[in-house]
Amino acid sequence: MIKLGLVGWPLSHSKSPQLHRAAFKAAGLDGDYDLFPIESSNSNGLVDILDGVRSGMLTGINVTIPYKQTVIGLVDELSISAQSIGAVNTIYQRHGKLIGDNTDAQGFLADLRSQVSDLSTRSNGAIVIGAGGAARAVIWALAEVVESIIVAARNLEKGQRLSSSLSTTLTRRCRLSTILMEAKSLDSIPEQVDLIINTTPVGMYPDLQSSPWPASVAFPKSCFIYDLVYNPAKTKLMEQAKKQGINSANGVGMLVEQAALAFELWTGQPAHRDVMLSAISQTAEHF
Ligand code: NAP
């Protein structure tokens, strides 16, 4: 039996068990996916779970907040993406070594490509709102397809630190700059910005009436908006976009894609993304 799981805290809202159990069933594999909630006061808990992967009791694990950085020092090798982004969300064993990988970046880009069919020809510049862990993965991935990225952060210094540390790891030339996330700075963003990505939790259930984008600022005319938040399915930011005739997507596709990529690393079998998506879509909104 293939045993997988998710380590983090808190985990009560995680959709990962549904996603992976559906993937096992669709692939005809005997496997299960459990939650391993570990409070930060439990100093041995994380190491014990990693030992489970080393010994083969667990085939692999996902890692989420607050351990995405902590596990870097506990694995034997990092994939290029995990090393560049500075965060691990997937761990597996190869030839006796624990490998830390990151499927968020590839998962985001795969879903963005499926949402924006003319991505390769239209993408001149992007704004990434937020400067946390998800922003790092998104920027690293986006740099493959856009010429410039503006990081809009509520903490300018944090945004600048993120831009300068990531700029040395990009696989392709892409200009990174940082602005303060406020109406005054956004008012002067260039019209050729054609992607806006929200990587903050603003607008996530139960904060339904909040948007990271100020109501007083118009979106660039031909932009596409991608909100990493997927609960609710239609965020306030997406509603603002619709009112201005702008297309948008939520982050459920990224959620499925990053899980599917991890499933494939662990099992070597193709993941049935459509089945995984319908498994979580059946769950009521505001889960
Ligand atoms: P994180 O590391 O805590 O970063 C959150 C970022 O948002 C930080 O830069 C934070 O600013 C900023 N922020 C928080 N509240 C804000 C507010 N009220 N106004 C402006 N900025 C604010 O979290 P994360 O891991 O990056 O996750 C961020 C969101 O992405 C979460 O909602 C998560 O569920 C979602 N996510 C979705 C997927 C997916 O597959 N769809 C994958 C990963 C993450 P400071 O730095 O100043 O604190």
Side-chain angles (χ1 to χ4, degrees):
M1 185 185 198
I2 302 168
K3 293 186 101 144
L4 305 172
L6 171 66
V7 60
W9 180 271
L11 295 179
S12 49
H13 294 293
S14 174
K15 294 282 106 189
S16 294
Q18 281 101 312
L19 278 170
H20 288 284
R21 284 172 190 158
F24 276 131
K25 201 168 166 199
L29 293 172
D30 183 20
D32 203 3
Y33 188 106
D34 291 315
L35 296 178
F36 302 116
I38 293 179
E39 285 188 79
S40 42
S41 55
N42 177 1
S43 53
N44 291 328
L46 188 58
V47 173
D48 288 348
I49 298 291
L50 291 178
D51 282 347
V53 184
R54 263 185 211 287
S55 70
M57 265 170 55
L58 288 165
T59 304
I61 52 164
N62 279 136
V63 183
T64 189
I65 291 170
Y67 300 120
K68 283 185 168 186
Q69 278 88 34
T70 320
V71 295
I72 289 177
L74 300 174
V75 298
D76 302 317
E77 279 178 18
L78 293 173
S79 66
I80 291 173
S81 60
Q83 187 158 21
S84 307
I85 294 161
V88 164
N89 79 333
T90 301
I91 294 179
Y92 53 91
Q93 200 203 118
R94 286 282 183 283
H95 312 300
K97 288 189 170 171
L98 272 194
I99 315 290
D101 208 330
N102 189 310
T103 62
D104 280 336
Q106 218 187 320
F108 162 72
L109 193 53
D111 191 48
L112 184 70
R113 283 198 162 108
S114 78
Q115 302 285 350
V116 187
S117 54
D118 57 346
L119 186 66
S120 57
T121 53
R122 88 201 298 265
S123 46
N124 295 308
I127 294 184
V128 172
I129 308 169
R136 292 186 70 88
V138 162
I139 292 167
W140 193 75
L142 262 185
E144 278 186 37
V145 292
V146 303
E147 302 305 315
S148 66
I149 300 171
I150 300 169
V151 180
R154 67 174 172 182
N155 179 333
L156 188 64
E157 248 180 57
K158 188 171 175 186
Q160 284 165 337
R161 276 202 305 276
L162 176 142
S163 295
S164 66
S165 74
L166 270 180
S167 60
T168 58
T169 73
L170 302 182
T171 53
R172 185 178 159 273
R173 204 178 151 81
C174 173
R175 286 186 309 279
L176 292 188
S177 58
T178 313
I179 59 170
L180 198 57
M181 184 64 203
E182 58 172 11
K184 206 167 90 187
S185 320
L186 293 171
D187 257 337
S188 52
I189 57 162
E191 256 312 307
Q192 64 263 34
V193 163
D194 48 19
L195 287 170
I196 296 176
I197 324 290
N198 175 40
T199 72
T200 77
V202 181
M204 187 167 78
Y205 179 81
D207 187 20
L208 303 179
Q209 290 313 312
S210 298
S211 163
W213 192 268
S216 60
V217 181
F219 296 115
K221 275 196 242 10
S222 60
C223 75
F224 181 90
I225 295 178
Y226 191 102
D227 197 340
L228 261 65
V229 174
Y230 50 83
N231 180 22
K234 192 132 209 138
T235 63
K236 178 81 179 172
L237 175 64
M238 293 169 71
E239 278 171 19
Q240 282 172 290
K242 194 172 178 205
K243 279 187 190 144
Q244 294 183 35
I246 305 275
N247 289 328
S248 65
N250 66 26
V252 77
M254 173 180 173
L255 180 75
V256 169
E257 193 60 44
Q258 61 77 31
L261 291 166
F263 183 88
E264 288 168 352
L265 282 168
W266 292 320
T267 66
Q269 299 289 317
H272 295 254
R273 287 153 172 81
D274 49 343
V275 175
M276 295 170 84
L277 178 63
S278 69
I280 50 166
S281 304
Q282 281 162 14
T283 330
E285 195 162 291
H286 309 322
F287 35 75

